[in-house]
Amino acid sequence: MGRLSLSFVSALVIMYAVTFLVYGSVAAATGLEPPEGASPGVFLLSVLVVKIGLAAAFVLIFYIARQALVGRWVPYAFAWWLMFVVAEVGQAIGPNYGWTEAIAGIVSETVYCPLAALVTNWLLRPTVPRVTGT
C-alpha cells in the first residue's frame, strides 16, 4: 500500500506542478487570466481538486492492470494523452475556453503524461523478494 500511495502522490505532484508551470508561463507571456469570476487562489484550488481525481484514476487503473501494463508505460501514457488532447480541443470549441488555454493544456499533458506513467511504472513494478543467506 505504501508504493501505491507514493505513486499517487508522485503522479499528483507531477500533474499539478507541470500544469502550474505551463499555465503560469503562458499567463506571464500572454496575460491569460483565470476564468471570469474566479480568484487565482480559488482557481488553483479547483485545478488541484481536478488533478487529485486524475492522479487517483491514473494510478488506480495502472495498479489494477499492472500485470499487463508494467513495462508498457509509453502506450499507457499515450492513451491518457490522447484522451486529454481530445478533451482540450472539445473545450476550445465550446464557450468560455480558448485555444490559448487548450494549447497550454496540451503542452502540460505532453509533459506530465509520460512523466507520471514512467514514475508509476517504476513504483508499481513487481518486486523480487530478497533471499537471505542460509
Side-chain angles (χ1 to χ4, degrees):
M1 195 54 121
R3 290 170 50 169
L4 181 61
S5 298
L6 183 57
S7 184
F8 164 72
V9 170
S10 298
L12 174 60
V13 167
I14 289 167
M15 290 175 175
Y16 189 73
V18 169
T19 300
F20 182 83
L21 291 171
V22 170
Y23 276 90
S25 299
V26 169
T30 67
L32 184 64
E33 297 283 331
E36 190 174 325
S39 70
V42 169
F43 178 67
L44 290 174
L45 180 60
S46 72
V47 171
L48 178 61
V49 170
V50 168
K51 296 304 178 192
I52 288 170
L54 290 174
F58 190 90
V59 170
L60 286 174
I61 290 169
F62 192 95
Y63 180 76
I64 290 166
R66 68 188 175 280
Q67 297 293 46
L69 292 175
V70 165
R72 295 183 177 100
W73 61 271
V74 172
Y76 184 72
F78 178 75
W80 278 89
W81 176 84
L82 183 61
M83 178 187 66
F84 287 138
V85 168
V86 171
E88 293 288 353
V89 171
Q91 281 189 289
I93 292 170
N96 302 324
Y97 197 80
W99 285 102
T100 302
E101 292 96 332
I103 291 168
I106 291 168
V107 169
S108 295
E109 292 137 6
T110 300
V111 174
Y112 75 63
C113 282
L115 271 177
L118 177 64
V119 169
T120 300
N121 180 75
W122 180 70
L123 288 170
L124 297 181
R125 72 195 183 284
T127 58
V128 178
R130 291 186 184 190
V131 178
T132 56
T134 56

